[in-house]
Amino acid sequence: MTTAPDIRLGDLADERVIRLLTDHLTDMFATSPAESVHALDVSGLSVPEVTFWTIGDGDDLHGCVALKELGPDHGELKSMRTDAAARGRGLGARLLEHVLAESARRGYRRVSLETGSQEFFRPARTLYAKYGFQECGPFGDYRLDPNSVFMTLELEPEPATVSA
């Protein structure tokens, strides 16, 4: 019996994480003009407002995702990546569900993201739309860019717990 890959806080010093992020950045720069690449490297993911997770089983690392706090009620999805060898297993959806649950737990009212407009990014845009993300204008420090698609999802607040 195999176990489902687990999601855990990622170690940005782990060589497997560095390889995954290097592959991610390589794809981004191969697909989009440099000025339109907004993917974070290890130093960008190491700041206090970013939480970084990985998904894997045993010694195998299959993907990663990050959540950047833009404000007390707004988070940004960053660095969503599934290793090429692990694609098609629903791991991206699991990572997205994890970030959305964590966003709701934190009390965020909205989660936004930036992704590419090129065909390469169509599977990601399709996944985000499946979860209710809708196209929007630039947010945060982003500017209108024909190589970028901006998406956002309004979240329902978690019900308040009643203490006894």
Side-chain angles (χ1 to χ4, degrees):
M1 178 170 130
T2 58
T3 60
D6 63 304
I7 297 173
R8 56 192 169 268
L9 286 173
D11 176 0
L12 292 166
D14 185 323
E15 290 180 15
R16 299 167 304 161
V17 168
I18 293 169
R19 180 194 55 79
L20 192 64
L21 292 172
T22 299
D23 290 349
H24 183 57
L25 287 167
T26 298
D27 280 349
M28 298 305 99
F29 282 103
T31 309
S32 301
E35 66 274 9
S36 298
V37 174
H38 303 287
L40 298 176
D41 60 9
V42 169
S43 65
L45 292 166
S46 299
V47 298
E49 60 270 18
V50 174
T51 306
F52 178 77
W53 296 274
T54 59
I55 189 168
D57 47 346
D59 289 335
D60 294 328
L61 185 67
H62 303 304
C64 62
V65 69
L67 179 61
K68 180 178 182 181
E69 183 166 302
L70 299 178
D73 65 349
H74 190 189
E76 180 183 3
L77 181 74
K78 297 294 292 181
S79 300
M80 178 98 145
R81 172 76 178 194
T82 303
D83 189 60
R87 291 191 184 139
R89 295 175 44 193
L91 301 179
R94 288 209 37 226
L95 287 167
L96 183 56
E97 289 167 3
H98 180 80
V99 166
L100 294 177
E102 176 63 16
S103 296
R105 188 194 67 73
R106 292 180 183 187
Y108 293 166
R109 300 295 311 239
R110 182 166 52 128
V111 176
S112 301
L113 63 92
E114 179 276 338
T115 190
S117 61
Q118 297 84 357
E119 185 63 26
F120 177 84
F121 299 99
R122 180 180 300 280
R125 292 191 309 266
T126 300
L127 175 66
Y128 302 140
K130 177 181 172 186
Y131 278 82
F133 282 84
Q134 297 181 353
E135 288 192 29
C136 64
F139 59 91
D141 294 332
Y142 291 106
R143 302 288 172 253
L144 199 56
D145 180 346
N147 297 296
S148 290
V149 173
F150 304 99
M151 302 179 85
T152 196
L153 174 67
E154 299 293 328
L155 297 176
E156 294 293 323
E158 278 196 349
T161 56
V162 178
S163 356

